[in-house]
Amino acid sequence: MAAAPPSGKVVYEQEGVFIHSSCGKNDDQDSLIAGILRVIEKENEVVVDWRPLDETLDTSNILCAGKDSSSVVEWTQTPKEKCSRGADRPSSYEAEWDMVTTVSFKKKPHSNGDATTHANRESKWSFLFSLTDLKSIKQNKKGMGWSYLVFCLKDDVKLPALHFHHGDSKPLIKCLEKHIALNESPHDERVLLVKTQKSLSQSFENLFDEPSYGLLQKWKRDPYVVTMGKFSKVTNYIVGSLRSSDQSNQRRPPSEMADFLNDTIPGLKINQQEEPGFEVITRINLGKQPEVSRREPVSTEEWAKNMDSEGRILDVDYIKRLIFKGGLCHTLRKEAWKFLLGYFPWNSTKEERANLQKRKTDEYFRMKLQWKSVSEEQEKRNSRLRDYRSLIEKDVNRTDRTNKFYEGEDNPGLILLHDILMTYCMYDFDLGYVQGMSDLLSPVLYVMENEVDAFWCFVSYMDQMHQNFEEQMQGMKTQLIQLSHLLRLLDSGFCSYLESQDSGYLYFCFRWLLIRFKREFSFQDILRLWEVMWTELPCQNFHLLLCCAILESEKQQIMDKHYGFNEILKHINELSMKIDVEYILCKAEAISMQMMNCKELPQTVSEILGIENSSVTPDSDTGEDESGAELSCPTSLYQSISTPVTAANGTGDGAPQAAETQSLTPA
């Protein structure tokens, strides 16, 4: 019997899957190794596992396997059995049937009694690889005997061909397609190329040369790439692909549109009136939207007054409230951002921070040396590092080039941008580099003007943003669903209108969320917006309320002019660089106050915003709270604000209601 599979959920299993070796005892015969093939879902990956059914089979004359300390398994033929193929083989006998002289593949290290290591110890002939390392699958021609296929990994190494003596390989392909995207090669119909959602190296501009259907497929497979580009230019291509091709040009039904968007971001379920709680949310009255004001940016004097003789921040909450309400003057950002991003502990002294910087400087340059010391020959054998470098070089050359800090050729700012992103690949090689990360680093480097400080601040920022760039896009799915809940509570009528125009999935907010509005505001405005968000006030997920504020501001035009799918997408995209950051901050804060003051806040919304509310109603509960308990929210945030410098008129139901203000003094 075959050894037990590695731990995890087996989602595919097939016996009677053979390896054919052309180096049997007789050159005109194949040596057959019967095995079992499995696809296994593990906690963080999906693996393909093959191992012999009969562990007692004498295969010493076929394969030998060695395992080194780098967790690389190498498959080789034994020297005495290296033999040539028979010259009289028919032409249909595929080369892949022969054993490859040397096959190697990366195997991720495991802990807690590695099942993979155990499997290799039990059977030298087993192999296992992660789908993240798969490059392509080659199948045999139709009608050419039993079904077989060959896995080719990303380092262009082919694993032994697997022959399906019982059944065929179609169920396996269907299973794999649930986890990876497979496209037929334009050069060979037998080859299926793997194109995962993390495959972002193709530049957006190249997509315009394809017909609309091809572009649609690209958008479905690579929403990151398309979203990061000039979305408005592809609107007609996308919409054209979603409409019928007949002369009547009727729109596709909403159900088909929902299927398309669900394919784009698998697992995304939004605004389908199926989740419990939506009907309750539509009946909740949030009351009037209060008027909210902003103050002047925090000055160096205010910052210094809140620091003791050893450099400790005296009142962290007070400083955060100041920053939330006014931001920072630019001269303070280099120091304050290190605290806001978590690079410097708030309770640290100047001496402790200086020691921390020394340690972090050494750590940074050790990581930088890792990729700097890789020779050209080494890099030729490291496809992932090559891909990371190639994509970084492309993105760096088009990131904020109109900013003086990055403009011109051979700009030292560009060199630092490149080096920090390459070093981050060493820090987090699994994630590496994904398009959009240069947008997050650029303002940080601009403010820090120091390679090491910028790197560690970027690391802290990426800790917050990591899920946005992961292959399964779980972070993006979660945020879009949460945004839908908030928007429906704020304005259920607007949500219903968006749904009627096939826009209920809020896909047009993808870029906003992916890189935190980086391409929606001017460079200086994004510095202000980010530092306000980093205070984590007045509630968690404040960036989602910023989305609500922008959408509510545009609601009237969208609905009055009866914008459809195409027009909504175009209109939202064209807001870029036209949004007043102070107005939107005021409006988002006003929305947060509306929700915090609501005594019947749905449980789902309360959890999204991190609000402790003893009178929160379950989403399915239509009854009123009888306790009369008040919402627990940071009212001190709104009671400690001095004379406003910028005001935003509330646009909620009824006239705006001004919030009381008091002089700003430390607690």
Side-chain angles (χ1 to χ4, degrees):
M1 296 296 294
S7 60
K9 179 183 178 182
V10 177
V11 294
Y12 170 89
E13 187 174 274
Q14 177 65 50
E15 294 186 6
V17 181
F18 287 70
I19 285 180
H20 291 203
S21 169
S22 60
C23 295
K25 295 181 180 179
N26 298 315
D27 285 349
D28 59 346
Q29 294 180 351
D30 284 336
S31 294
L32 305 182
I33 307 174
I36 185 167
L37 182 66
R38 298 183 178 97
V39 177
I40 303 166
E41 288 182 353
K42 308 187 81 174
E43 183 177 358
N44 297 316
E45 63 178 349
V46 178
V47 299
V48 176
D49 176 81
W50 183 90
R51 60 194 60 216
L53 283 169
D54 188 354
E55 296 294 348
T56 64
L57 178 67
D58 180 14
T59 53
S60 60
N61 65 330
I62 302 174
L63 297 171
C64 64
K67 180 175 181 296
D68 64 18
S69 59
S70 301
S71 294
V72 174
V73 179
E74 185 177 29
W75 296 79
T76 61
Q77 289 175 280
T78 52
K80 66 179 181 179
E81 294 296 335
K82 288 183 179 178
C83 54
S84 60
R85 288 172 293 173
D88 56 345
R89 288 221 174 96
S91 59
S92 62
Y93 195 96
E94 297 288 336
E96 289 84 5
W97 289 28
D98 297 330
M99 293 308 304
V100 180
T101 301
T102 302
V103 175
S104 64
F105 60 95
K106 297 185 289 293
K107 179 172 66 63
K108 295 184 178 180
H110 295 266
S111 58
N112 302 325
D114 178 11
T116 305
T117 303
H118 179 70
N120 282 322
R121 188 165 61 245
E122 287 186 352
S123 171
K124 295 180 180 180
W125 334 117
S126 306
F127 68 73
L128 177 149
F129 64 88
S130 170
L131 286 186
T132 58
D133 290 328
L134 181 61
K135 179 180 180 181
S136 65
I137 304 172
K138 185 172 183 179
Q139 306 172 95
N140 64 323
K141 297 177 182 178
K142 295 180 180 179
M144 301 296 295
W146 52 61
S147 175
Y148 84 91
L149 54 80
V150 177
F151 292 113
C152 180
L153 305 184
K154 286 183 178 178
D155 51 1
D156 290 326
V157 169
K158 295 178 181 178
L159 296 177
L162 298 178
H163 300 261
F164 294 73
H165 289 200
H166 305 151
D168 59 33
S169 59
K170 289 181 181 179
L172 171 64
I173 298 299
K174 287 184 178 180
C175 175
L176 295 180
E177 286 181 329
K178 295 178 181 178
H179 305 283
I180 55 176
L182 294 173
N183 296 331
E184 185 176 290
S185 169
H187 307 295
D188 188 344
E189 63 180 9
R190 298 173 299 170
V191 176
L192 297 175
L193 301 175
V194 177
K195 186 170 182 58
T196 64
Q197 290 158 341
K198 193 177 174 181
S199 179
L200 304 174
S201 59
Q202 182 180 5
S203 67
F204 178 80
E205 290 76 14
N206 293 338
L207 300 181
F208 294 110
D209 297 330
E210 301 182 38
S212 59
Y213 177 77
L215 178 61
L216 175 63
Q217 298 306 310
K218 290 289 186 181
W219 190 66
K220 290 175 68 176
R221 301 303 184 193
D222 280 341
Y224 287 110
V225 172
V226 178
T227 303
M228 294 301 297
K230 295 180 179 178
F231 214 168
S232 60
K233 291 187 177 180
V234 299
T235 303
N236 291 330
Y237 285 104
I238 294 174
V239 177
S241 300
L242 298 174
R243 305 298 187 232
S244 301
S245 58
D246 57 19
Q247 292 182 351
S248 61
N249 196 30
Q250 296 295 317
R251 294 178 58 191
R252 292 176 67 171
S255 59
E256 291 188 33
M257 179 67 71
D259 291 341
F260 158 71
L261 289 168
N262 191 52
D263 288 343
T264 303
I265 308 179
L268 182 61
K269 299 290 185 183
I270 300 178
N271 288 354
Q272 296 302 303
Q273 298 283 357
E274 295 173 356
E275 297 184 45
F278 280 147
E279 287 301 314
V280 177
I281 291 175
T282 61
R283 291 199 291 266
I284 292 177
N285 181 12
L286 290 177
K288 297 177 181 179
Q289 198 171 98
E291 182 178 300
V292 173
S293 59
R294 306 265 311 151
R295 72 180 299 275
E296 294 286 354
V298 179
S299 66
T300 54
E301 291 78 12
E302 287 175 305
W303 181 266
K305 285 179 181 178
N306 201 46
M307 191 173 284
D308 68 13
S309 58
E310 293 184 321
R312 293 186 188 87
I313 304 295
L314 293 172
D315 190 334
V316 176
D317 291 338
Y318 167 70
I319 276 292
K320 284 185 176 181
R321 290 198 300 269
L322 289 182
I323 298 170
F324 175 78
K325 293 299 293 185
L328 295 157
C329 67
H330 189 69
T331 53
L332 262 182
R333 284 179 172 138
K334 186 177 296 188
E335 181 177 6
W337 277 25
K338 295 168 189 171
F339 290 93
L340 288 169
L341 284 167
Y343 176 31
F344 284 173
W346 284 99
N347 61 350
S348 61
T349 65
K350 286 182 180 178
E351 183 179 359
E352 289 169 341
R353 295 194 290 271
N355 291 333
L356 174 67
Q357 283 180 300
K358 288 179 182 178
R359 294 195 306 272
K360 290 297 186 180
T361 297
D362 291 341
E363 188 176 349
Y364 173 77
F365 284 108
R366 281 198 301 271
M367 288 187 290
K368 184 174 181 178
L369 184 62
Q370 291 175 357
W371 66 266
K372 280 281 192 180
S373 60
V374 173
S375 68
E376 290 185 11
E377 287 300 314
Q378 285 178 299
E379 192 165 314
K380 287 179 181 178
R381 296 186 292 273
N382 192 329
S383 61
R384 291 182 71 184
L385 184 60
R386 282 199 315 272
D387 291 344
Y388 291 155
R389 185 193 295 273
S390 174
L391 189 53
I392 287 170
E393 289 173 353
K394 289 178 182 177
D395 279 4
V396 163
N397 285 326
R398 57 193 181 193
T399 300
D400 292 323
R401 296 306 301 275
T402 58
N403 187 301
K404 289 185 177 180
F405 193 80
Y406 299 110
E407 70 181 2
E409 299 300 323
D410 300 322
N411 187 305
L414 293 178
I415 296 171
L416 291 180
L417 200 65
H418 171 274
D419 288 1
I420 292 171
L421 291 171
M422 284 296 298
T423 305
Y424 186 81
C425 291
M426 298 296 103
Y427 176 83
D428 188 348
F429 200 80
D430 285 344
L431 179 64
Y433 179 79
V434 180
Q435 188 177 18
M437 288 166 56
S438 63
D439 281 280
L440 298 184
L441 172 60
S442 171
V444 175
L445 178 58
Y446 170 83
V447 167
M448 293 298 144
E449 299 180 305
N450 176 282
E451 182 177 4
V452 175
D453 289 343
F455 173 81
W456 290 111
C457 286
F458 176 65
V459 165
S460 297
Y461 198 11
M462 281 302 301
D463 287 345
Q464 302 174 30
M465 304 292 290
H466 200 281
Q467 277 198 319
N468 281 16
F469 297 96
E470 291 173 1
E471 186 172 348
Q472 299 303 317
M473 295 191 292
Q474 187 56 52
M476 297 303 299
K477 296 176 194 174
T478 300
Q479 289 174 87
L480 286 169
I481 291 171
Q482 290 175 336
L483 176 57
S484 175
H485 281 289
L486 295 174
L487 191 61
R488 182 170 294 277
L489 173 62
L490 186 65
D491 196 324
S492 60
F494 184 40
C495 278
S496 297
Y497 178 82
L498 291 175
E499 288 171 9
S500 71
Q501 303 303 319
D502 301 332
S503 300
Y505 284 86
L506 307 177
Y507 51 85
F508 42 77
C509 298
F510 195 97
R511 188 174 68 188
W512 298 357
L513 299 172
L514 179 67
I515 52 174
R516 287 296 191 270
F517 308 99
K518 170 61 168 54
R519 299 194 182 181
E520 317 313 317
F521 293 89
S522 68
F523 195 87
Q524 291 302 318
D525 282 351
I526 211 66
L527 304 183
R528 171 77 70 243
L529 188 71
W530 282 5
E531 63 200 15
V532 168
M533 288 194 295
W534 292 338
T535 65
E536 300 180 337
L537 295 174
C539 57
Q540 69 184 27
N541 287 315
F542 183 64
H543 68 288
L544 298 180
L545 297 184
L546 289 166
C547 294
C548 289
I550 298 172
L551 291 174
E552 192 182 55
S553 299
E554 302 304 317
K555 170 189 69 175
Q556 205 68 33
Q557 182 172 343
I558 290 172
M559 295 181 70
D560 287 352
K561 294 188 177 181
H562 307 291
Y563 284 169
F565 176 93
N566 186 30
E567 293 80 14
I568 293 172
L569 181 62
K570 184 174 184 290
H571 177 74
I572 295 298
N573 185 71
E574 290 177 349
L575 293 176
S576 178
M577 303 300 159
K578 299 176 184 177
I579 307 172
D580 184 331
V581 68
E582 296 293 339
Y583 171 79
I584 290 302
L585 282 170
C586 284
K587 190 167 184 62
E589 184 182 348
I591 293 172
S592 74
M593 294 172 68
Q594 270 187 299
M595 294 188 176
M596 287 177 174
N597 291 328
C598 177
K599 295 182 180 180
E600 297 179 343
L601 200 67
Q603 181 70 36
T604 302
V605 173
S606 179
E607 291 172 356
I608 292 169
L609 300 180
I611 299 172
E612 295 180 6
N613 179 13
S614 59
S615 64
V616 164
T617 60
D619 289 347
S620 59
D621 183 7
T622 58
E624 295 184 2
D625 174 63
E626 298 178 357
S627 66
E630 291 295 328
L631 192 68
S632 174
C633 63
T635 54
S636 59
L637 176 66
Y638 308 112
Q639 294 175 345
S640 59
I641 306 305
S642 61
T643 305
V645 295
T646 304
N649 291 326
T651 57
D653 298 332
Q657 187 175 5
E660 294 183 2
T661 61
Q662 299 177 2
S663 61
L664 188 61
T665 55

